[in-house]
Amino acid sequence: QVHLVESGGGLVQPGGSLRLSCASSGSVGSFLIIDWYRRAPGKQRESVATITRGGDTRYADSVKGRLTISKDNDKNTVYLQMNSLKPEDTAVYYCHGTTLTFPPSDYWGQGTQVTVSS
């Protein structure tokens, strides 16, 4: 059974930085796609960053240039470096992975709270 555990959230001032981590109990290489999602109160869930098994990345327009997704296969960990944070970035952030198995399966972490406020 695969478990994803997020960490690194917290309270920061606007313009600050955080680095979120998503540790997998299994191999990160077993995922075709790993995403970071966020959900703010009263808003729809939003995918903010995606990384493929091959290392290609995609970002939501709202976070381009400020957030960077990466992974370390040896550590079985996915990261989300968050810079120049804005109050509108406040949300619970979740990592999500889709396996390359057939049929495919997807897994969710429990989330980590990010609050950007002065």
Side-chain angles (χ1 to χ4, degrees):
Q1 186 173 339
V2 177
H3 298 278
L4 301 175
V5 181
E6 299 96 336
S7 62
L11 173 64
V12 297
Q13 294 185 343
S17 298
L18 285 173
R19 189 194 191 199
L20 306 184
S21 298
C22 176
S24 173
S25 63
S27 174
V28 169
S30 68
F31 294 104
L32 278 175
I33 297 172
I34 301 174
D35 312 272
W36 282 97
Y37 283 81
R38 68 185 182 187
R39 185 175 182 88
K43 296 183 179 180
Q44 294 182 332
R45 184 179 63 188
E46 175 188 25
S47 175
V48 297
T50 298
I51 188 166
T52 69
R53 190 184 185 190
D56 296 325
T57 59
R58 295 193 296 264
Y59 300 93
D61 289 341
S62 59
V63 304
K64 286 181 179 178
R66 300 188 299 112
L67 273 60
T68 303
I69 188 171
S70 63
K71 62 180 179 179
D72 188 328
N73 290 336
D74 291 335
K75 295 182 178 180
N76 291 321
T77 301
V78 180
Y79 304 98
L80 185 67
Q81 180 65 48
M82 310 170 70
N83 299 324
S84 301
L85 286 166
K86 304 175 181 180
E88 50 264 43
D89 294 319
T90 296
V92 178
Y93 285 73
Y94 303 87
C95 65
H96 165 263
T98 301
T99 66
L100 50 71
T101 58
F102 184 83
S105 300
D106 60 347
Y107 298 88
W108 290 91
Q110 292 183 323
T112 184
Q113 176 72 49
V114 172
T115 302
V116 185
S117 177
S118 59

PDB file of all heavy atoms in Angstrom, residues 3-38:
ATOM      1  N   HIS A   3       1.716   5.174   0.466  1.00  0.00           N
ATOM      2  CA  HIS A   3       1.316   6.335   1.251  1.00  0.00           C
ATOM      3  C   HIS A   3       2.116   7.541   0.803  1.00  0.00           C
ATOM      4  O   HIS A   3       3.320   7.452   0.569  1.00  0.00           O
ATOM      5  CB  HIS A   3       1.539   6.098   2.745  1.00  0.00           C
ATOM      6  CG  HIS A   3       0.749   4.968   3.318  1.00  0.00           C
ATOM      7  ND1 HIS A   3      -0.563   5.108   3.703  1.00  0.00           N
ATOM      8  CD2 HIS A   3       1.084   3.673   3.556  1.00  0.00           C
ATOM      9  CE1 HIS A   3      -1.010   3.948   4.173  1.00  0.00           C
ATOM     10  NE2 HIS A   3      -0.033   3.060   4.085  1.00  0.00           N
ATOM     11  N   LEU A   4       1.439   8.678   0.699  1.00  0.00           N
ATOM     12  CA  LEU A   4       2.065   9.949   0.395  1.00  0.00           C
ATOM     13  C   LEU A   4       1.869  10.869   1.589  1.00  0.00           C
ATOM     14  O   LEU A   4       0.751  11.020   2.075  1.00  0.00           O
ATOM     15  CB  LEU A   4       1.457  10.585  -0.859  1.00  0.00           C
ATOM     16  CG  LEU A   4       1.548   9.779  -2.156  1.00  0.00           C
ATOM     17  CD1 LEU A   4       0.800  10.492  -3.276  1.00  0.00           C
ATOM     18  CD2 LEU A   4       2.997   9.561  -2.549  1.00  0.00           C
ATOM     19  N   VAL A   5       2.943  11.467   2.047  1.00  0.00           N
ATOM     20  CA  VAL A   5       2.895  12.313   3.230  1.00  0.00           C
ATOM     21  C   VAL A   5       3.536  13.650   2.911  1.00  0.00           C
ATOM     22  O   VAL A   5       4.727  13.720   2.595  1.00  0.00           O
ATOM     23  CB  VAL A   5       3.605  11.658   4.425  1.00  0.00           C
ATOM     24  CG1 VAL A   5       3.520  12.570   5.648  1.00  0.00           C
ATOM     25  CG2 VAL A   5       2.996  10.300   4.738  1.00  0.00           C
ATOM     26  N   GLU A   6       2.738  14.718   3.015  1.00  0.00           N
ATOM     27  CA  GLU A   6       3.237  16.064   2.770  1.00  0.00           C
ATOM     28  C   GLU A   6       3.784  16.672   4.056  1.00  0.00           C
ATOM     29  O   GLU A   6       3.326  16.353   5.157  1.00  0.00           O
ATOM     30  CB  GLU A   6       2.134  16.980   2.222  1.00  0.00           C
ATOM     31  CG  GLU A   6       1.535  16.536   0.902  1.00  0.00           C
ATOM     32  CD  GLU A   6       0.267  15.735   1.080  1.00  0.00           C
ATOM     33  OE1 GLU A   6       0.084  15.144   2.165  1.00  0.00           O
ATOM     34  OE2 GLU A   6      -0.548  15.692   0.143  1.00  0.00           O
ATOM     35  N   SER A   7       4.725  17.578   3.888  1.00  0.00           N
ATOM     36  CA  SER A   7       5.260  18.334   5.004  1.00  0.00           C
ATOM     37  C   SER A   7       5.820  19.647   4.478  1.00  0.00           C
ATOM     38  O   SER A   7       5.979  19.828   3.275  1.00  0.00           O
ATOM     39  CB  SER A   7       6.338  17.544   5.753  1.00  0.00           C
ATOM     40  OG  SER A   7       7.445  17.267   4.915  1.00  0.00           O
ATOM     41  N   GLY A   8       6.115  20.557   5.381  1.00  0.00           N
ATOM     42  CA  GLY A   8       6.754  21.807   5.014  1.00  0.00           C
ATOM     43  C   GLY A   8       5.855  23.018   5.001  1.00  0.00           C
ATOM     44  O   GLY A   8       6.337  24.141   4.797  1.00  0.00           O
ATOM     45  N   GLY A   9       4.562  22.829   5.197  1.00  0.00           N
ATOM     46  CA  GLY A   9       3.660  23.958   5.224  1.00  0.00           C
ATOM     47  C   GLY A   9       3.849  24.792   6.476  1.00  0.00           C
ATOM     48  O   GLY A   9       4.539  24.409   7.420  1.00  0.00           O
ATOM     49  N   GLY A  10       3.214  25.958   6.469  1.00  0.00           N
ATOM     50  CA  GLY A  10       3.309  26.845   7.615  1.00  0.00           C
ATOM     51  C   GLY A  10       2.802  28.218   7.296  1.00  0.00           C
ATOM     52  O   GLY A  10       2.146  28.442   6.277  1.00  0.00           O
ATOM     53  N   LEU A  11       3.105  29.144   8.177  1.00  0.00           N
ATOM     54  CA  LEU A  11       2.696  30.537   8.047  1.00  0.00           C
ATOM     55  C   LEU A  11       3.882  31.373   7.602  1.00  0.00           C
ATOM     56  O   LEU A  11       4.941  31.352   8.242  1.00  0.00           O
ATOM     57  CB  LEU A  11       2.152  31.054   9.382  1.00  0.00           C
ATOM     58  CG  LEU A  11       1.820  32.537   9.476  1.00  0.00           C
ATOM     59  CD1 LEU A  11       0.683  32.892   8.526  1.00  0.00           C
ATOM     60  CD2 LEU A  11       1.473  32.906  10.907  1.00  0.00           C
ATOM     61  N   VAL A  12       3.703  32.105   6.513  1.00  0.00           N
ATOM     62  CA  VAL A  12       4.748  32.983   6.006  1.00  0.00           C
ATOM     63  C   VAL A  12       4.146  34.318   5.613  1.00  0.00           C
ATOM     64  O   VAL A  12       2.947  34.426   5.332  1.00  0.00           O
ATOM     65  CB  VAL A  12       5.493  32.377   4.792  1.00  0.00           C
ATOM     66  CG1 VAL A  12       6.205  31.100   5.190  1.00  0.00           C
ATOM     67  CG2 VAL A  12       4.526  32.125   3.652  1.00  0.00           C
ATOM     68  N   GLN A  13       4.979  35.341   5.582  1.00  0.00           N
ATOM     69  CA  GLN A  13       4.543  36.650   5.131  1.00  0.00           C
ATOM     70  C   GLN A  13       4.576  36.730   3.610  1.00  0.00           C
ATOM     71  O   GLN A  13       5.293  35.965   2.955  1.00  0.00           O
ATOM     72  CB  GLN A  13       5.436  37.733   5.729  1.00  0.00           C
ATOM     73  CG  GLN A  13       5.321  37.874   7.236  1.00  0.00           C
ATOM     74  CD  GLN A  13       6.123  39.041   7.765  1.00  0.00           C
ATOM     75  OE1 GLN A  13       7.007  39.561   7.100  1.00  0.00           O
ATOM     76  NE2 GLN A  13       5.803  39.464   8.978  1.00  0.00           N
ATOM     77  N   PRO A  14       3.790  37.624   3.031  1.00  0.00           N
ATOM     78  CA  PRO A  14       3.859  37.804   1.578  1.00  0.00           C
ATOM     79  C   PRO A  14       5.292  38.056   1.120  1.00  0.00           C
ATOM     80  O   PRO A  14       6.037  38.806   1.748  1.00  0.00           O
ATOM     81  CB  PRO A  14       2.966  39.017   1.334  1.00  0.00           C
ATOM     82  CG  PRO A  14       1.986  38.984   2.462  1.00  0.00           C
ATOM     83  CD  PRO A  14       2.773  38.483   3.649  1.00  0.00           C
ATOM     84  N   GLY A  15       5.655  37.410   0.019  1.00  0.00           N
ATOM     85  CA  GLY A  15       7.008  37.501  -0.486  1.00  0.00           C
ATOM     86  C   GLY A  15       7.940  36.445   0.058  1.00  0.00           C
ATOM     87  O   GLY A  15       9.072  36.306  -0.435  1.00  0.00           O
ATOM     88  N   GLY A  16       7.485  35.690   1.034  1.00  0.00           N
ATOM     89  CA  GLY A  16       8.301  34.659   1.639  1.00  0.00           C
ATOM     90  C   GLY A  16       8.341  33.388   0.818  1.00  0.00           C
ATOM     91  O   GLY A  16       7.732  33.294  -0.253  1.00  0.00           O
ATOM     92  N   SER A  17       9.056  32.401   1.344  1.00  0.00           N
ATOM     93  CA  SER A  17       9.256  31.141   0.639  1.00  0.00           C
ATOM     94  C   SER A  17       8.987  29.957   1.549  1.00  0.00           C
ATOM     95  O   SER A  17       9.169  30.031   2.772  1.00  0.00           O
ATOM     96  CB  SER A  17      10.691  31.041   0.106  1.00  0.00           C
ATOM     97  OG  SER A  17      10.977  32.056  -0.833  1.00  0.00           O
ATOM     98  N   LEU A  18       8.564  28.875   0.944  1.00  0.00           N
ATOM     99  CA  LEU A  18       8.403  27.596   1.610  1.00  0.00           C
ATOM    100  C   LEU A  18       8.812  26.500   0.644  1.00  0.00           C
ATOM    101  O   LEU A  18       8.726  26.669  -0.576  1.00  0.00           O
ATOM    102  CB  LEU A  18       6.958  27.350   2.042  1.00  0.00           C
ATOM    103  CG  LEU A  18       6.413  28.107   3.249  1.00  0.00           C
ATOM    104  CD1 LEU A  18       4.915  27.834   3.390  1.00  0.00           C
ATOM    105  CD2 LEU A  18       7.144  27.703   4.526  1.00  0.00           C
ATOM    106  N   ARG A  19       9.240  25.393   1.194  1.00  0.00           N
ATOM    107  CA  ARG A  19       9.532  24.215   0.393  1.00  0.00           C
ATOM    108  C   ARG A  19       8.705  23.057   0.923  1.00  0.00           C
ATOM    109  O   ARG A  19       8.933  22.576   2.039  1.00  0.00           O
ATOM    110  CB  ARG A  19      11.012  23.869   0.447  1.00  0.00           C
ATOM    111  CG  ARG A  19      11.420  22.768  -0.536  1.00  0.00           C
ATOM    112  CD  ARG A  19      12.800  22.242  -0.214  1.00  0.00           C
ATOM    113  NE  ARG A  19      13.340  21.397  -1.256  1.00  0.00           N
ATOM    114  CZ  ARG A  19      14.340  20.527  -1.071  1.00  0.00           C
ATOM    115  NH1 ARG A  19      14.909  20.423   0.127  1.00  0.00           N
ATOM    116  NH2 ARG A  19      14.773  19.798  -2.086  1.00  0.00           N
ATOM    117  N   LEU A  20       7.757  22.619   0.125  1.00  0.00           N
ATOM    118  CA  LEU A  20       6.927  21.494   0.492  1.00  0.00           C
ATOM    119  C   LEU A  20       7.563  20.196   0.025  1.00  0.00           C
ATOM    120  O   LEU A  20       8.190  20.149  -1.031  1.00  0.00           O
ATOM    121  CB  LEU A  20       5.536  21.615  -0.121  1.00  0.00           C
ATOM    122  CG  LEU A  20       4.767  22.914   0.147  1.00  0.00           C
ATOM    123  CD1 LEU A  20       3.368  22.821  -0.449  1.00  0.00           C
ATOM    124  CD2 LEU A  20       4.709  23.216   1.637  1.00  0.00           C
ATOM    125  N   SER A  21       7.382  19.153   0.813  1.00  0.00           N
ATOM    126  CA  SER A  21       7.887  17.834   0.467  1.00  0.00           C
ATOM    127  C   SER A  21       6.752  16.834   0.469  1.00  0.00           C
ATOM    128  O   SER A  21       5.819  16.942   1.265  1.00  0.00           O
ATOM    129  CB  SER A  21       8.962  17.379   1.460  1.00  0.00           C
ATOM    130  OG  SER A  21      10.078  18.237   1.453  1.00  0.00           O
ATOM    131  N   CYS A  22       6.828  15.885  -0.414  1.00  0.00           N
ATOM    132  CA  CYS A  22       5.881  14.783  -0.472  1.00  0.00           C
ATOM    133  C   CYS A  22       6.684  13.497  -0.493  1.00  0.00           C
ATOM    134  O   CYS A  22       7.292  13.158  -1.516  1.00  0.00           O
ATOM    135  CB  CYS A  22       4.990  14.902  -1.707  1.00  0.00           C
ATOM    136  SG  CYS A  22       3.845  13.522  -1.925  1.00  0.00           S
ATOM    137  N   ALA A  23       6.686  12.812   0.624  1.00  0.00           N
ATOM    138  CA  ALA A  23       7.447  11.572   0.751  1.00  0.00           C
ATOM    139  C   ALA A  23       6.559  10.383   0.423  1.00  0.00           C
ATOM    140  O   ALA A  23       5.452  10.261   0.944  1.00  0.00           O
ATOM    141  CB  ALA A  23       8.007  11.439   2.164  1.00  0.00           C
ATOM    142  N   SER A  24       7.059   9.514  -0.423  1.00  0.00           N
ATOM    143  CA  SER A  24       6.327   8.325  -0.829  1.00  0.00           C
ATOM    144  C   SER A  24       6.895   7.099  -0.135  1.00  0.00           C
ATOM    145  O   SER A  24       8.114   6.939  -0.032  1.00  0.00           O
ATOM    146  CB  SER A  24       6.393   8.139  -2.342  1.00  0.00           C
ATOM    147  OG  SER A  24       5.815   6.906  -2.738  1.00  0.00           O
ATOM    148  N   SER A  25       6.001   6.235   0.325  1.00  0.00           N
ATOM    149  CA  SER A  25       6.437   4.979   0.923  1.00  0.00           C
ATOM    150  C   SER A  25       6.918   3.997  -0.131  1.00  0.00           C
ATOM    151  O   SER A  25       7.570   3.005   0.196  1.00  0.00           O
ATOM    152  CB  SER A  25       5.297   4.351   1.731  1.00  0.00           C
ATOM    153  OG  SER A  25       4.201   4.012   0.900  1.00  0.00           O
ATOM    154  N   GLY A  26       6.595   4.253  -1.385  1.00  0.00           N
ATOM    155  CA  GLY A  26       7.044   3.446  -2.490  1.00  0.00           C
ATOM    156  C   GLY A  26       7.969   4.240  -3.397  1.00  0.00           C
ATOM    157  O   GLY A  26       8.410   5.338  -3.066  1.00  0.00           O
ATOM    158  N   SER A  27       8.241   3.688  -4.542  1.00  0.00           N
ATOM    159  CA  SER A  27       9.146   4.317  -5.485  1.00  0.00           C
ATOM    160  C   SER A  27       8.448   5.445  -6.239  1.00  0.00           C
ATOM    161  O   SER A  27       7.367   5.261  -6.796  1.00  0.00           O
ATOM    162  CB  SER A  27       9.675   3.284  -6.480  1.00  0.00           C
ATOM    163  OG  SER A  27      10.454   3.892  -7.481  1.00  0.00           O
ATOM    164  N   VAL A  28       9.079   6.601  -6.246  1.00  0.00           N
ATOM    165  CA  VAL A  28       8.560   7.710  -7.044  1.00  0.00           C
ATOM    166  C   VAL A  28       8.551   7.341  -8.526  1.00  0.00           C
ATOM    167  O   VAL A  28       7.705   7.808  -9.291  1.00  0.00           O
ATOM    168  CB  VAL A  28       9.394   8.991  -6.791  1.00  0.00           C
ATOM    169  CG1 VAL A  28       9.054  10.072  -7.811  1.00  0.00           C
ATOM    170  CG2 VAL A  28       9.148   9.495  -5.379  1.00  0.00           C
ATOM    171  N   GLY A  29       9.468   6.489  -8.918  1.00  0.00           N
ATOM    172  CA  GLY A  29       9.530   6.046 -10.300  1.00  0.00           C
ATOM    173  C   GLY A  29       8.346   5.214 -10.743  1.00  0.00           C
ATOM    174  O   GLY A  29       8.188   4.962 -11.946  1.00  0.00           O
ATOM    175  N   SER A  30       7.513   4.774  -9.799  1.00  0.00           N
ATOM    176  CA  SER A  30       6.332   4.003 -10.148  1.00  0.00           C
ATOM    177  C   SER A  30       5.173   4.881 -10.609  1.00  0.00           C
ATOM    178  O   SER A  30       4.162   4.355 -11.072  1.00  0.00           O
ATOM    179  CB  SER A  30       5.876   3.151  -8.958  1.00  0.00           C
ATOM    180  OG  SER A  30       5.388   3.949  -7.901  1.00  0.00           O
ATOM    181  N   PHE A  31       5.302   6.191 -10.481  1.00  0.00           N
ATOM    182  CA  PHE A  31       4.253   7.121 -10.871  1.00  0.00           C
ATOM    183  C   PHE A  31       4.508   7.666 -12.269  1.00  0.00           C
ATOM    184  O   PHE A  31       5.612   8.132 -12.572  1.00  0.00           O
ATOM    185  CB  PHE A  31       4.153   8.289  -9.890  1.00  0.00           C
ATOM    186  CG  PHE A  31       3.700   7.891  -8.514  1.00  0.00           C
ATOM    187  CD1 PHE A  31       4.604   7.801  -7.475  1.00  0.00           C
ATOM    188  CD2 PHE A  31       2.368   7.614  -8.277  1.00  0.00           C
ATOM    189  CE1 PHE A  31       4.191   7.436  -6.207  1.00  0.00           C
ATOM    190  CE2 PHE A  31       1.940   7.245  -7.015  1.00  0.00           C
ATOM    191  CZ  PHE A  31       2.849   7.157  -5.974  1.00  0.00           C
ATOM    192  N   LEU A  32       3.479   7.620 -13.105  1.00  0.00           N
ATOM    193  CA  LEU A  32       3.564   8.258 -14.407  1.00  0.00           C
ATOM    194  C   LEU A  32       3.564   9.772 -14.275  1.00  0.00           C
ATOM    195  O   LEU A  32       4.316  10.468 -14.959  1.00  0.00           O
ATOM    196  CB  LEU A  32       2.403   7.826 -15.304  1.00  0.00           C
ATOM    197  CG  LEU A  32       2.531   6.499 -16.037  1.00  0.00           C
ATOM    198  CD1 LEU A  32       1.227   6.202 -16.766  1.00  0.00           C
ATOM    199  CD2 LEU A  32       3.688   6.528 -17.011  1.00  0.00           C
ATOM    200  N   ILE A  33       2.700  10.266 -13.392  1.00  0.00           N
ATOM    201  CA  ILE A  33       2.528  11.695 -13.198  1.00  0.00           C
ATOM    202  C   ILE A  33       2.399  11.976 -11.709  1.00  0.00           C
ATOM    203  O   ILE A  33       1.704  11.253 -10.993  1.00  0.00           O
ATOM    204  CB  ILE A  33       1.279  12.227 -13.935  1.00  0.00           C
ATOM    205  CG1 ILE A  33       1.417  12.037 -15.441  1.00  0.00           C
ATOM    206  CG2 ILE A  33       1.035  13.690 -13.614  1.00  0.00           C
ATOM    207  CD1 ILE A  33       0.146  12.363 -16.204  1.00  0.00           C
ATOM    208  N   ILE A  34       3.055  13.015 -11.248  1.00  0.00           N
ATOM    209  CA  ILE A  34       2.896  13.494  -9.886  1.00  0.00           C
ATOM    210  C   ILE A  34       2.485  14.965  -9.961  1.00  0.00           C
ATOM    211  O   ILE A  34       3.082  15.748 -10.704  1.00  0.00           O
ATOM    212  CB  ILE A  34       4.178  13.331  -9.063  1.00  0.00           C
ATOM    213  CG1 ILE A  34       4.581  11.854  -9.015  1.00  0.00           C
ATOM    214  CG2 ILE A  34       3.976  13.869  -7.652  1.00  0.00           C
ATOM    215  CD1 ILE A  34       5.910  11.602  -8.341  1.00  0.00           C
ATOM    216  N   ASP A  35       1.469  15.302  -9.211  1.00  0.00           N
ATOM    217  CA  ASP A  35       0.922  16.652  -9.217  1.00  0.00           C
ATOM    218  C   ASP A  35       0.909  17.230  -7.813  1.00  0.00           C
ATOM    219  O   ASP A  35       0.833  16.509  -6.819  1.00  0.00           O
ATOM    220  CB  ASP A  35      -0.534  16.668  -9.721  1.00  0.00           C
ATOM    221  CG  ASP A  35      -0.752  15.885 -10.987  1.00  0.00           C
ATOM    222  OD1 ASP A  35      -0.583  16.474 -12.076  1.00  0.00           O
ATOM    223  OD2 ASP A  35      -1.120  14.693 -10.890  1.00  0.00           O
ATOM    224  N   TRP A  36       0.972  18.546  -7.752  1.00  0.00           N
ATOM    225  CA  TRP A  36       0.630  19.279  -6.552  1.00  0.00           C
ATOM    226  C   TRP A  36      -0.680  20.005  -6.802  1.00  0.00           C
ATOM    227  O   TRP A  36      -0.804  20.761  -7.767  1.00  0.00           O
ATOM    228  CB  TRP A  36       1.710  20.290  -6.162  1.00  0.00           C
ATOM    229  CG  TRP A  36       2.894  19.685  -5.484  1.00  0.00           C
ATOM    230  CD1 TRP A  36       4.070  19.327  -6.049  1.00  0.00           C
ATOM    231  CD2 TRP A  36       3.005  19.382  -4.086  1.00  0.00           C
ATOM    232  NE1 TRP A  36       4.924  18.812  -5.105  1.00  0.00           N
ATOM    233  CE2 TRP A  36       4.294  18.835  -3.891  1.00  0.00           C
ATOM    234  CE3 TRP A  36       2.144  19.521  -2.984  1.00  0.00           C
ATOM    235  CZ2 TRP A  36       4.745  18.425  -2.627  1.00  0.00           C
ATOM    236  CZ3 TRP A  36       2.594  19.103  -1.741  1.00  0.00           C
ATOM    237  CH2 TRP A  36       3.873  18.564  -1.571  1.00  0.00           C
ATOM    238  N   TYR A  37      -1.647  19.738  -5.955  1.00  0.00           N
ATOM    239  CA  TYR A  37      -2.940  20.410  -5.986  1.00  0.00           C
ATOM    240  C   TYR A  37      -3.065  21.313  -4.772  1.00  0.00           C
ATOM    241  O   TYR A  37      -2.405  21.104  -3.756  1.00  0.00           O
ATOM    242  CB  TYR A  37      -4.095  19.404  -5.961  1.00  0.00           C
ATOM    243  CG  TYR A  37      -4.378  18.696  -7.268  1.00  0.00           C
ATOM    244  CD1 TYR A  37      -3.620  17.610  -7.672  1.00  0.00           C
ATOM    245  CD2 TYR A  37      -5.422  19.111  -8.089  1.00  0.00           C
ATOM    246  CE1 TYR A  37      -3.883  16.954  -8.860  1.00  0.00           C
ATOM    247  CE2 TYR A  37      -5.700  18.460  -9.274  1.00  0.00           C
ATOM    248  CZ  TYR A  37      -4.931  17.381  -9.657  1.00  0.00           C
ATOM    249  OH  TYR A  37      -5.206  16.730 -10.839  1.00  0.00           O
ATOM    250  N   ARG A  38      -3.949  22.275  -4.885  1.00  0.00           N
ATOM    251  CA  ARG A  38      -4.278  23.079  -3.726  1.00  0.00           C
ATOM    252  C   ARG A  38      -5.770  23.380  -3.712  1.00  0.00           C
ATOM    253  O   ARG A  38      -6.420  23.426  -4.755  1.00  0.00           O
ATOM    254  CB  ARG A  38      -3.478  24.387  -3.686  1.00  0.00           C
ATOM    255  CG  ARG A  38      -3.828  25.396  -4.775  1.00  0.00           C
ATOM    256  CD  ARG A  38      -2.894  26.590  -4.691  1.00  0.00           C
ATOM    257  NE  ARG A  38      -3.205  27.607  -5.684  1.00  0.00           N
ATOM    258  CZ  ARG A  38      -2.453  28.678  -5.905  1.00  0.00           C
ATOM    259  NH1 ARG A  38      -1.343  28.874  -5.210  1.00  0.00           N
ATOM    260  NH2 ARG A  38      -2.821  29.563  -6.831  1.00  0.00           N
TER     261      ARG A  38
END
